[in-house]
Amino acid sequence: MRLPVIRHLVEFTLKNDDDYLIETLDVLEDLIDARGIKDDELDVIGELMSNMIGALEVTKEIKKGVNKKEALNAFMKKVTSVGK
């Protein structure tokens, strides 16, 4: 996961709507099943999807009233502590 990408997607979602990311996730999820998709392409799709899901989680916290910076930091702290 990349914080700059998540930050940008959060800004996009706050300006527009969560539905854009949700629908894009649906398309990417369907694309995974396409014939001929290579492993490195699957890795890129997976990375994009994880960043979008992260942005949706951060946006949800912001809409609950959490400061944007705090929401981003809490999310990244949670993600980086997985598996420790």
Coordinates of all heavy atoms in Angstrom, one line a residue:
M1 N 0.8 -1.2 0.0 CA 0.0 0.0 0.0 C 0.9 1.2 0.0 O 1.9 1.2 0.6 CB -0.9 0.0 1.2 CG -1.9 -1.0 1.2 SD -3.1 -0.7 2.5 CE -4.4 -1.8 2.0
R2 N 0.4 2.2 -0.7 CA 1.2 3.4 -0.8 C 0.4 4.6 -0.3 O -0.7 4.9 -0.8 CB 1.5 3.7 -2.3 CG 2.3 2.5 -2.9 CD 3.6 2.9 -3.4 NE 3.6 4.3 -3.7 CZ 4.7 5.0 -3.8 NH1 5.9 4.5 -3.8 NH2 4.7 6.3 -4.1
L3 N 0.9 5.3 0.7 CA 0.2 6.4 1.3 C -0.2 7.5 0.4 O -1.3 8.0 0.4 CB 1.0 6.9 2.5 CG 0.3 8.0 3.4 CD1 -1.1 7.5 3.9 CD2 1.2 8.4 4.5
P4 N 0.8 7.9 -0.5 CA 0.4 9.0 -1.5 C -0.8 8.6 -2.4 O -1.6 9.4 -2.7 CB 1.7 9.2 -2.3 CG 2.8 8.6 -1.5 CD 2.2 7.5 -0.7
V5 N -0.8 7.3 -2.8 CA -1.9 6.9 -3.6 C -3.2 6.9 -2.8 O -4.3 7.4 -3.3 CB -1.7 5.5 -4.2 CG1 -2.9 4.9 -4.9 CG2 -0.4 5.5 -5.1
I6 N -3.2 6.4 -1.6 CA -4.4 6.4 -0.8 C -4.8 7.8 -0.5 O -6.0 8.1 -0.6 CB -4.1 5.6 0.6 CG1 -3.9 4.1 0.2 CG2 -5.2 5.8 1.5 CD1 -3.4 3.3 1.4
R7 N -3.9 8.7 -0.2 CA -4.3 10.1 0.1 C -5.0 10.7 -1.1 O -6.0 11.4 -1.0 CB -3.0 10.9 0.5 CG -3.3 12.3 0.9 CD -2.0 13.0 1.3 NE -1.3 12.4 2.3 CZ 0.0 12.0 2.2 NH1 0.7 12.2 1.1 NH2 0.6 11.5 3.3
H8 N -4.4 10.4 -2.3 CA -5.0 11.0 -3.5 C -6.4 10.4 -3.7 O -7.4 11.1 -4.1 CB -4.1 10.7 -4.7 CG -4.6 11.3 -6.0 ND1 -4.3 12.6 -6.3 CD2 -5.4 10.8 -7.0 CE1 -4.9 12.9 -7.5 NE2 -5.6 11.8 -7.9
L9 N -6.6 9.1 -3.5 CA -7.9 8.5 -3.7 C -8.9 9.0 -2.6 O -10.1 9.1 -2.9 CB -7.8 6.9 -3.6 CG -7.1 6.3 -4.8 CD1 -6.8 4.8 -4.5 CD2 -7.9 6.4 -6.0
V10 N -8.4 9.2 -1.4 CA -9.3 9.8 -0.4 C -9.8 11.2 -0.9 O -11.0 11.5 -0.8 CB -8.6 9.9 1.0 CG1 -9.4 10.8 1.9 CG2 -8.4 8.5 1.6
E11 N -8.9 12.0 -1.4 CA -9.3 13.3 -1.9 C -10.3 13.2 -3.0 O -11.3 13.9 -3.0 CB -8.1 14.1 -2.4 CG -7.2 14.6 -1.3 CD -7.8 15.6 -0.3 OE1 -8.6 16.4 -0.8 OE2 -7.5 15.5 0.9
F12 N -10.1 12.3 -3.9 CA -11.0 12.1 -5.0 C -12.4 11.6 -4.5 O -13.4 12.2 -4.9 CB -10.5 11.0 -5.9 CG -11.4 10.6 -7.0 CD1 -11.5 11.4 -8.2 CD2 -12.3 9.6 -6.9 CE1 -12.4 11.1 -9.2 CE2 -13.2 9.3 -7.9 CZ -13.2 10.0 -9.1
T13 N -12.4 10.7 -3.5 CA -13.7 10.2 -2.9 C -14.4 11.3 -2.2 O -15.6 11.4 -2.3 CB -13.4 9.0 -2.0 OG1 -12.7 8.1 -2.7 CG2 -14.7 8.4 -1.5
L14 N -13.7 12.2 -1.5 CA -14.3 13.2 -0.7 C -14.9 14.3 -1.7 O -16.0 14.9 -1.4 CB -13.4 13.9 0.2 CG -12.9 13.0 1.4 CD1 -11.8 13.7 2.2 CD2 -14.1 12.7 2.3
K15 N -14.3 14.5 -2.8 CA -14.8 15.5 -3.8 C -16.0 14.9 -4.6 O -16.8 15.6 -5.0 CB -13.7 15.9 -4.8 CG -12.6 16.8 -4.2 CD -11.6 17.1 -5.3 CE -10.4 17.7 -4.7 NZ -9.3 17.8 -5.8
N16 N -15.9 13.6 -4.8 CA -16.9 13.0 -5.7 C -17.8 12.1 -4.9 O -18.7 12.6 -4.2 CB -16.2 12.2 -6.8 CG -15.4 13.1 -7.7 OD1 -16.0 13.9 -8.5 ND2 -14.1 13.2 -7.5
D17 N -17.6 10.8 -4.9 CA -18.4 9.8 -4.2 C -17.7 8.5 -4.1 O -16.9 8.1 -4.9 CB -19.7 9.7 -5.1 CG -20.8 9.0 -4.4 OD1 -20.7 8.6 -3.2 OD2 -21.9 8.8 -5.0
D18 N -18.1 7.8 -3.0 CA -17.5 6.4 -2.8 C -17.8 5.5 -3.9 O -17.1 4.6 -4.2 CB -18.1 5.8 -1.5 CG -17.7 6.6 -0.3 OD1 -17.0 7.6 -0.4 OD2 -18.0 6.1 0.8
D19 N -19.0 5.7 -4.6 CA -19.4 4.8 -5.6 C -18.4 4.6 -6.8 O -18.3 3.6 -7.4 CB -20.8 5.2 -6.2 CG -21.9 5.0 -5.2 OD1 -21.7 4.2 -4.2 OD2 -22.9 5.7 -5.3
Y20 N -17.7 5.7 -7.1 CA -16.7 5.6 -8.1 C -15.6 4.5 -7.8 O -15.3 3.7 -8.7 CB -15.9 6.9 -8.4 CG -16.8 7.9 -9.1 CD1 -17.4 9.0 -8.4 CD2 -17.0 7.9 -10.4 CE1 -18.1 9.9 -9.0 CE2 -17.7 8.8 -11.1 CZ -18.3 9.8 -10.4 OH -19.0 10.8 -11.0
L21 N -15.1 4.5 -6.6 CA -14.2 3.5 -6.2 C -14.8 2.1 -6.1 O -14.2 1.1 -6.5 CB -13.5 3.9 -4.9 CG -12.5 5.0 -4.9 CD1 -11.8 5.2 -3.6 CD2 -11.5 4.9 -6.0
I22 N -16.0 2.0 -5.5 CA -16.7 0.8 -5.4 C -16.9 0.1 -6.8 O -16.7 -1.1 -7.0 CB -18.0 0.9 -4.6 CG1 -17.7 1.3 -3.2 CG2 -18.8 -0.3 -4.7 CD1 -18.9 1.8 -2.4
E23 N -17.4 0.9 -7.7 CA -17.6 0.4 -9.1 C -16.3 0.0 -9.7 O -16.2 -1.0 -10.5 CB -18.4 1.4 -9.9 CG -19.8 1.5 -9.4 CD -20.6 2.7 -10.1 OE1 -20.0 3.3 -11.0 OE2 -21.7 2.9 -9.7
T24 N -15.2 0.8 -9.5 CA -13.9 0.4 -10.1 C -13.4 -0.9 -9.5 O -12.8 -1.7 -10.2 CB -12.9 1.6 -9.9 OG1 -13.4 2.8 -10.4 CG2 -11.6 1.2 -10.5
L25 N -13.6 -1.1 -8.2 CA -13.2 -2.3 -7.6 C -14.0 -3.5 -8.2 O -13.4 -4.6 -8.4 CB -13.5 -2.2 -6.0 CG -12.5 -1.5 -5.2 CD1 -13.0 -1.1 -3.9 CD2 -11.2 -2.2 -5.1
D26 N -15.2 -3.3 -8.5 CA -16.0 -4.4 -9.1 C -15.4 -4.7 -10.5 O -15.3 -5.9 -10.8 CB -17.5 -4.0 -9.3 CG -18.2 -3.9 -8.0 OD1 -17.8 -4.5 -7.0 OD2 -19.3 -3.2 -8.0
V27 N -15.0 -3.7 -11.2 CA -14.4 -4.0 -12.6 C -13.1 -4.7 -12.4 O -12.8 -5.7 -13.1 CB -14.3 -2.7 -13.3 CG1 -13.5 -2.9 -14.6 CG2 -15.6 -2.0 -13.7
L28 N -12.3 -4.2 -11.5 CA -11.0 -4.9 -11.3 C -11.1 -6.3 -10.8 O -10.4 -7.2 -11.2 CB -10.1 -4.1 -10.4 CG -9.6 -2.7 -10.9 CD1 -8.9 -1.9 -9.8 CD2 -8.7 -2.9 -12.1
E29 N -12.0 -6.5 -9.9 CA -12.3 -7.9 -9.4 C -12.7 -8.8 -10.6 O -12.3 -10.0 -10.6 CB -13.4 -7.9 -8.3 CG -13.5 -9.2 -7.7 CD -14.5 -9.1 -6.5 OE1 -15.0 -8.0 -6.1 OE2 -14.8 -10.2 -6.0
D30 N -13.5 -8.3 -11.5 CA -13.9 -9.1 -12.6 C -12.8 -9.4 -13.6 O -12.6 -10.4 -14.1 CB -15.1 -8.4 -13.3 CG -15.7 -9.3 -14.4 OD1 -16.3 -10.4 -14.1 OD2 -15.5 -9.0 -15.6
L31 N -11.9 -8.4 -13.7 CA -10.8 -8.4 -14.6 C -9.8 -9.5 -14.2 O -9.1 -10.1 -15.1 CB -10.1 -7.1 -14.7 CG -8.9 -6.9 -15.7 CD1 -9.4 -7.2 -17.1 CD2 -8.3 -5.6 -15.6
I32 N -9.7 -9.8 -12.9 CA -8.8 -10.8 -12.4 C -9.1 -12.2 -13.1 O -8.2 -13.0 -13.3 CB -9.0 -11.0 -10.9 CG1 -8.3 -9.7 -10.2 CG2 -8.3 -12.2 -10.4 CD1 -8.6 -9.6 -8.7
D33 N -10.3 -12.4 -13.4 CA -10.7 -13.7 -14.0 C -10.5 -13.8 -15.5 O -10.8 -14.8 -16.1 CB -12.2 -14.0 -13.7 CG -12.4 -14.2 -12.2 OD1 -11.5 -14.7 -11.5 OD2 -13.5 -13.8 -11.8
A34 N -10.0 -12.7 -16.1 CA -9.9 -12.7 -17.6 C -8.8 -13.7 -18.0 O -7.7 -13.8 -17.3 CB -9.5 -11.3 -18.1
R35 N -9.0 -14.3 -19.1 CA -7.9 -15.2 -19.7 C -6.7 -14.4 -20.1 O -6.8 -13.3 -20.6 CB -8.5 -16.0 -20.9 CG -9.5 -17.0 -20.5 CD -10.0 -17.8 -21.6 NE -8.9 -18.2 -22.6 CZ -9.1 -18.4 -23.9 NH1 -10.3 -18.3 -24.4 NH2 -8.1 -18.7 -24.6
G36 N -5.6 -15.0 -19.9 CA -4.3 -14.3 -20.3 C -3.7 -13.3 -19.4 O -2.7 -12.7 -19.7
I37 N -4.3 -13.1 -18.2 CA -3.8 -12.1 -17.3 C -2.5 -12.8 -16.7 O -2.6 -13.9 -16.2 CB -4.8 -11.7 -16.2 CG1 -6.0 -11.0 -16.8 CG2 -4.1 -10.9 -15.1 CD1 -5.7 -9.6 -17.3
K38 N -1.4 -12.1 -16.7 CA -0.2 -12.6 -16.2 C 0.0 -12.3 -14.7 O -0.7 -11.4 -14.2 CB 1.0 -12.0 -17.0 CG 1.0 -12.4 -18.4 CD 2.1 -11.7 -19.2 CE 1.9 -12.0 -20.7 NZ 2.5 -11.0 -21.5
D39 N 0.9 -13.0 -14.0 CA 1.1 -12.8 -12.6 C 1.4 -11.4 -12.2 O 0.9 -10.8 -11.2 CB 2.1 -13.8 -12.1 CG 1.6 -15.2 -12.0 OD1 0.4 -15.4 -12.1 OD2 2.5 -16.1 -11.9
D40 N 2.3 -10.7 -13.0 CA 2.7 -9.4 -12.7 C 1.6 -8.4 -12.8 O 1.4 -7.4 -12.1 CB 3.9 -8.9 -13.5 CG 3.8 -9.0 -15.0 OD1 3.0 -9.8 -15.4 OD2 4.4 -8.2 -15.7
E41 N 0.7 -8.7 -13.8 CA -0.5 -7.9 -14.0 C -1.5 -8.1 -12.8 O -2.1 -7.1 -12.4 CB -1.2 -8.2 -15.3 CG -0.3 -7.8 -16.5 CD -0.8 -8.5 -17.8 OE1 -1.4 -9.5 -17.8 OE2 -0.5 -7.8 -18.9
L42 N -1.6 -9.3 -12.4 CA -2.4 -9.6 -11.2 C -1.9 -8.8 -10.0 O -2.7 -8.3 -9.2 CB -2.5 -11.1 -10.9 CG -3.4 -11.9 -11.9 CD1 -3.2 -13.4 -11.6 CD2 -4.9 -11.5 -11.8
D43 N -0.6 -8.8 -9.8 CA 0.0 -8.0 -8.7 C -0.4 -6.6 -8.8 O -0.7 -6.0 -7.7 CB 1.5 -8.2 -8.7 CG 2.0 -9.6 -8.4 OD1 1.2 -10.4 -7.8 OD2 3.2 -9.9 -8.7
V44 N -0.3 -6.0 -9.9 CA -0.7 -4.5 -10.1 C -2.1 -4.3 -9.8 O -2.5 -3.4 -9.0 CB -0.3 -4.0 -11.5 CG1 -0.9 -2.6 -11.8 CG2 1.2 -4.1 -11.8
I45 N -3.0 -5.2 -10.3 CA -4.4 -5.1 -10.0 C -4.7 -5.2 -8.5 O -5.4 -4.4 -7.9 CB -5.2 -6.1 -10.8 CG1 -5.2 -5.8 -12.3 CG2 -6.7 -6.2 -10.3 CD1 -5.7 -6.9 -13.2
G46 N -4.0 -6.2 -7.9 CA -4.2 -6.4 -6.4 C -3.7 -5.1 -5.6 O -4.4 -4.7 -4.7
E47 N -2.6 -4.6 -6.1 CA -2.1 -3.4 -5.4 C -3.1 -2.2 -5.5 O -3.4 -1.5 -4.6 CB -0.8 -3.0 -5.9 CG -0.1 -1.8 -5.3 CD 0.3 -2.1 -3.8 OE1 0.5 -3.2 -3.5 OE2 0.5 -1.1 -3.1
L48 N -3.6 -2.0 -6.7 CA -4.6 -1.0 -6.9 C -5.9 -1.2 -6.1 O -6.4 -0.3 -5.4 CB -5.0 -0.9 -8.4 CG -4.0 -0.3 -9.4 CD1 -4.5 -0.6 -10.8 CD2 -3.8 1.1 -9.1
M49 N -6.3 -2.4 -6.0 CA -7.5 -2.8 -5.2 C -7.3 -2.5 -3.8 O -8.1 -1.9 -3.1 CB -7.9 -4.2 -5.5 CG -8.5 -4.4 -6.9 SD -8.9 -6.2 -7.2 CE -10.4 -6.3 -6.2
S50 N -6.1 -2.9 -3.3 CA -5.8 -2.7 -1.8 C -5.7 -1.2 -1.5 O -6.2 -0.8 -0.4 CB -4.6 -3.4 -1.4 OG -3.4 -2.9 -2.0
N51 N -5.2 -0.4 -2.4 CA -5.1 1.0 -2.2 C -6.5 1.6 -2.2 O -6.9 2.5 -1.4 CB -4.3 1.7 -3.2 CG -2.8 1.5 -3.0 OD1 -2.3 1.6 -1.8 ND2 -2.1 1.3 -4.0
M52 N -7.4 1.2 -3.1 CA -8.8 1.7 -3.1 C -9.6 1.3 -1.9 O -10.3 2.1 -1.3 CB -9.5 1.2 -4.4 CG -9.0 1.8 -5.6 SD -9.8 1.1 -7.1 CE -8.9 1.8 -8.4
I53 N -9.4 0.0 -1.4 CA -10.1 -0.4 -0.2 C -9.6 0.4 1.0 O -10.4 0.8 1.8 CB -9.9 -1.9 0.0 CG1 -10.6 -2.7 -1.1 CG2 -10.4 -2.4 1.4 CD1 -10.3 -4.2 -1.2
G54 N -8.3 0.6 1.0 CA -7.8 1.5 2.1 C -8.3 2.9 2.1 O -8.7 3.4 3.1
A55 N -8.4 3.5 0.9 CA -9.0 4.8 0.8 C -10.4 4.8 1.2 O -10.9 5.8 1.8 CB -8.9 5.3 -0.7
L56 N -11.2 3.8 0.9 CA -12.6 3.7 1.3 C -12.7 3.7 2.9 O -13.5 4.3 3.5 CB -13.3 2.5 0.7 CG -13.6 2.7 -0.8 CD1 -14.1 1.4 -1.3 CD2 -14.6 3.8 -1.0
E57 N -11.8 2.9 3.5 CA -11.8 2.8 4.9 C -11.4 4.2 5.6 O -12.1 4.6 6.5 CB -10.8 1.8 5.4 CG -11.2 0.3 5.2 CD -10.3 -0.7 5.8 OE1 -9.7 -0.4 6.9 OE2 -10.1 -1.7 5.2
V58 N -10.4 4.8 5.0 CA -10.0 6.2 5.6 C -11.2 7.2 5.4 O -11.5 7.9 6.3 CB -8.7 6.7 4.9 CG1 -8.4 8.1 5.3 CG2 -7.6 5.7 5.3
T59 N -11.8 7.1 4.2 CA -12.9 8.1 3.9 C -14.1 7.8 4.9 O -14.7 8.8 5.4 CB -13.4 7.9 2.5 OG1 -12.3 8.1 1.6 CG2 -14.5 8.8 2.1
K60 N -14.3 6.6 5.2 CA -15.4 6.2 6.1 C -15.1 6.9 7.5 O -16.0 7.4 8.1 CB -15.5 4.7 6.3 CG -16.5 4.2 7.2 CD -16.5 2.7 7.1 CE -17.3 2.1 8.3 NZ -17.2 0.6 8.3
E61 N -13.9 6.8 7.9 CA -13.5 7.4 9.2 C -13.6 8.9 9.2 O -14.1 9.5 10.2 CB -12.1 7.0 9.6 CG -11.9 5.5 10.0 CD -12.8 5.1 11.1 OE1 -12.8 5.8 12.2 OE2 -13.6 4.1 10.9
I62 N -13.2 9.5 8.1 CA -13.3 11.0 8.0 C -14.8 11.4 8.0 O -15.1 12.4 8.7 CB -12.6 11.4 6.6 CG1 -11.1 11.2 6.7 CG2 -13.0 12.9 6.3 CD1 -10.4 11.4 5.4
K63 N -15.6 10.7 7.4 CA -17.1 11.0 7.4 C -17.7 10.8 8.8 O -18.7 11.4 9.1 CB -17.8 10.1 6.4 CG -17.5 10.6 4.9 CD -18.3 9.8 3.9 CE -18.0 10.3 2.5 NZ -18.8 9.5 1.5
K64 N -17.0 10.0 9.6 CA -17.4 9.9 11.0 C -17.0 11.0 11.9 O -17.4 11.1 13.0 CB -16.9 8.6 11.6 CG -17.6 7.3 11.1 CD -16.9 6.1 11.9 CE -17.5 4.8 11.4 NZ -16.8 3.7 12.1
G65 N -16.1 11.9 11.3 CA -15.6 13.0 12.0 C -14.2 13.0 12.4 O -13.7 13.9 13.1
V66 N -13.5 12.0 12.1 CA -12.0 11.9 12.4 C -11.3 12.8 11.4 O -11.6 12.9 10.2 CB -11.5 10.4 12.2 CG1 -10.0 10.3 12.5 CG2 -12.3 9.5 13.2
N67 N -10.3 13.5 12.0 CA -9.4 14.4 11.2 C -8.8 13.5 10.1 O -8.3 12.4 10.3 CB -8.4 15.0 12.1 CG -7.3 15.8 11.4 OD1 -6.5 15.2 10.7 ND2 -7.4 17.1 11.7
K68 N -8.6 14.1 8.9 CA -8.1 13.4 7.8 C -6.7 12.8 8.0 O -6.4 11.7 7.8 CB -8.0 14.3 6.5 CG -7.6 13.5 5.3 CD -7.6 14.3 4.0 CE -7.9 15.8 4.1 NZ -7.8 16.5 2.8
K69 N -5.8 13.6 8.6 CA -4.5 13.2 8.9 C -4.5 12.1 9.9 O -3.7 11.1 9.8 CB -3.6 14.4 9.4 CG -2.2 14.1 9.6 CD -1.4 15.3 10.1 CE 0.1 14.9 10.3 NZ 0.8 16.1 10.7
E70 N -5.3 12.2 10.9 CA -5.4 11.1 12.0 C -5.9 9.9 11.4 O -5.4 8.8 11.7 CB -6.3 11.6 13.1 CG -5.7 12.7 14.0 CD -6.7 13.2 15.0 OE1 -7.6 12.5 15.3 OE2 -6.4 14.3 15.5
A71 N -6.9 10.0 10.5 CA -7.5 8.8 9.9 C -6.5 8.1 9.0 O -6.4 6.8 9.0 CB -8.7 9.2 9.0
L72 N -5.7 8.8 8.2 CA -4.6 8.3 7.4 C -3.6 7.6 8.2 O -3.1 6.5 8.0 CB -4.0 9.3 6.5 CG -4.8 9.7 5.3 CD1 -4.3 11.1 4.7 CD2 -4.8 8.7 4.2
N73 N -3.1 8.3 9.3 CA -2.1 7.7 10.2 C -2.6 6.5 10.9 O -1.8 5.5 11.0 CB -1.6 8.8 11.2 CG -0.8 9.8 10.5 OD1 -0.2 9.7 9.5 ND2 -0.7 11.0 11.2
A74 N -3.8 6.5 11.4 CA -4.3 5.3 12.1 C -4.4 4.1 11.1 O -4.1 3.0 11.5 CB -5.7 5.6 12.7
F75 N -4.9 4.4 9.9 CA -5.0 3.3 8.9 C -3.6 2.7 8.6 O -3.4 1.5 8.6 CB -5.6 3.8 7.6 CG -5.7 2.7 6.6 CD1 -6.6 1.7 6.6 CD2 -4.8 2.8 5.5 CE1 -6.6 0.7 5.7 CE2 -4.8 1.8 4.5 CZ -5.7 0.8 4.6
M76 N -2.6 3.6 8.3 CA -1.3 3.1 8.0 C -0.7 2.3 9.2 O 0.0 1.3 9.0 CB -0.4 4.2 7.5 CG -0.8 4.8 6.1 SD -1.0 3.5 4.8 CE 0.7 3.0 4.6
K77 N -0.9 2.8 10.4 CA -0.4 2.1 11.5 C -1.0 0.7 11.6 O -0.3 -0.2 11.9 CB -0.7 2.9 12.8 CG 0.0 2.4 14.0 CD -0.3 3.3 15.3 CE 0.5 4.6 15.1 NZ 0.4 5.4 16.3
K78 N -2.3 0.6 11.4 CA -3.0 -0.7 11.4 C -2.4 -1.6 10.4 O -2.1 -2.8 10.6 CB -4.5 -0.4 11.2 CG -5.3 -1.7 11.2 CD -6.8 -1.5 11.2 CE -7.2 -1.1 9.8 NZ -8.6 -1.0 9.6
V79 N -2.2 -1.1 9.2 CA -1.7 -1.9 8.1 C -0.3 -2.4 8.3 O 0.1 -3.5 8.0 CB -1.8 -1.1 6.7 CG1 -1.1 -1.8 5.6 CG2 -3.3 -0.9 6.4
T80 N 0.6 -1.5 8.8 CA 2.0 -1.8 9.0 C 2.2 -2.8 10.2 O 3.2 -3.4 10.3 CB 2.9 -0.6 9.1 OG1 2.4 0.2 10.2 CG2 2.9 0.2 7.8
S81 N 1.2 -2.8 11.1 CA 1.3 -3.7 12.2 C 0.8 -5.1 12.0 O 0.9 -6.0 12.8 CB 0.6 -3.1 13.4 OG -0.8 -3.1 13.3
V82 N 0.2 -5.3 10.8 CA -0.4 -6.7 10.5 C 0.8 -7.6 10.3 O 1.8 -7.4 9.7 CB -1.2 -6.6 9.2 CG1 -1.6 -8.0 8.7 CG2 -2.4 -5.7 9.4
G83 N 0.7 -8.8 11.0 CA 1.7 -9.8 10.9 C 2.8 -9.7 11.9 O 3.7 -10.5 11.9
K84 N 2.8 -8.6 12.7 CA 3.8 -8.5 13.7 C 3.5 -9.2 15.0 O 2.4 -9.4 15.4 CB 4.1 -7.0 14.0 CG 4.7 -6.3 12.9 CD 5.1 -4.9 13.3 CE 5.8 -4.2 12.2 NZ 6.2 -2.8 12.5

